[in-house]
Amino acid sequence: MPARILIVEDEEPLTLLLRYNLEAEGFEVDSVARGDDAELHLRDHTPDLVLLDWMLPGLSGIELCRRLRTRRDTERVPIIMLTARGEETERVRGLATGADDYVVKPFSLPELIARIQALLRRAKPGHVAGLLAAGDLELDRTTRRVRRAGAELHLGPTEFRLLEFLMQAPGRVYSRAQLLDAVWGRDVYIDERTVDVHVGRLRKAITPANAKDPLRTVRGAGYAFDETFARS
């Protein structure tokens, strides 16, 4: 059963963008535009995770977060705060109120999805697949092992995270900047060409002689996990 995510956000274009991308990842999505309406919704429906804007009409996100943490049915529901407030004091306040993570707008969608999946793995491990499989390639998130045609492959930690991220959405093209955000994190300042180096290492590790390359380079755009390989 897919995880259900509640978006509490009053910016309709952002809500639509989040819904589209989350549903494409296989999540079920509900959305509410006001804080007070969200509180009423949560009395009858308990999601697996909440994406919560700080500035909301009716009831602020920070106050809604505080109230959810006092209720038995929602005290353990993962909450990611979405906000334009990037100051350290505001991040500390949000986390101290009960948010599990804090993402500053504008944010990277691939990184946000990776954060959602990481929280769900901890809170609801059954909702995030422990094994990713495509063609004859298997990635086991639990044991941190990768196999191709039954043979174990040896990947470095960065190459493992890179492969894991690309395998989650075969066919989707990610720019170097998106891969840096999702795999290395937004707070790490390194050259975008570093991605090329690690993609090269990953290709070498997962593509034995005469085997099909599972990765696709899109000139001028970035990289993707080949969707035709995933279907083979």
Side-chain angles (χ1 to χ4, degrees):
M1 182 177 179
R4 180 172 293 276
I5 296 175
L6 174 65
I7 302 170
V8 188
E9 169 62 63
D10 63 334
E11 296 180 30
E12 186 177 2
L14 179 55
T15 298
L16 292 173
L17 181 66
L18 289 169
R19 176 184 287 275
Y20 174 82
N21 282 273
L22 290 171
E23 289 180 344
E25 294 291 331
F27 296 111
E28 294 183 356
V29 180
D30 296 318
S31 61
V32 183
R34 294 175 56 92
D36 48 358
D37 290 342
E39 186 175 26
L40 292 174
H41 177 92
L42 285 158
R43 289 177 183 171
D44 299 321
H45 309 280
T46 303
D48 296 298
L49 183 141
V50 178
L51 292 177
L52 180 60
D53 186 27
W54 184 303
M55 301 294 291
L56 291 167
L59 183 69
S60 72
I62 199 80
E63 176 59 21
L64 178 58
C65 181
R66 186 192 66 77
R67 294 184 186 184
L68 293 178
R69 289 300 181 237
T70 64
R71 287 171 36 187
R72 180 170 297 178
D73 57 334
T74 56
E75 64 181 356
R76 296 187 181 278
V77 173
I79 298 173
I80 298 179
M81 191 77 74
L82 305 178
T83 176
R85 297 169 176 255
E87 297 83 2
E88 181 181 2
T89 54
E90 300 295 347
R91 294 198 302 271
V92 170
R93 183 183 172 198
L95 294 170
T97 303
D100 297 278
D101 204 348
Y102 191 102
V103 177
V104 179
K105 301 175 183 178
F107 49 79
S108 157
L109 273 169
E111 181 189 2
L112 176 62
I113 290 170
R115 288 172 180 261
I116 288 170
Q117 291 170 331
L119 275 175
L120 288 173
R121 276 197 296 272
R122 294 196 293 270
K124 304 267 186 176
H127 284 303
V128 179
L131 183 68
L132 296 177
D136 60 356
L137 189 64
E138 292 185 350
L139 181 147
D140 192 320
R141 285 168 156 161
T142 304
T143 63
R144 311 291 290 180
R145 290 180 176 177
V146 177
R147 293 182 176 85
R148 184 161 188 185
E152 186 166 349
L153 307 177
H154 300 285
L155 275 62
T158 301
E159 286 71 39
F160 182 93
R161 293 196 304 271
L162 184 59
L163 179 61
E164 178 185 24
F165 183 74
L166 290 169
M167 285 184 72
Q168 291 177 64
R172 180 175 295 186
V173 179
Y174 294 102
S175 68
R176 293 179 179 86
Q178 289 174 320
L179 291 172
L180 280 175
D181 282 349
V183 177
W184 282 264
R186 297 178 69 183
D187 297 328
V188 177
Y189 297 97
I190 54 179
D191 190 275
E192 287 188 0
R193 293 294 170 178
T194 300
V195 174
D196 298 337
V197 174
H198 286 278
V199 167
R201 291 176 182 170
L202 176 59
R203 276 195 161 117
K204 184 177 180 181
I206 64 177
T207 311
N210 302 319
K212 181 179 179 181
D213 185 355
L215 304 184
R216 182 163 60 93
T217 301
V218 181
R219 189 178 298 275
Y223 298 100
F225 193 88
D226 192 339
E227 58 188 331
T228 60
F229 178 89
R231 291 196 296 265
S232 63

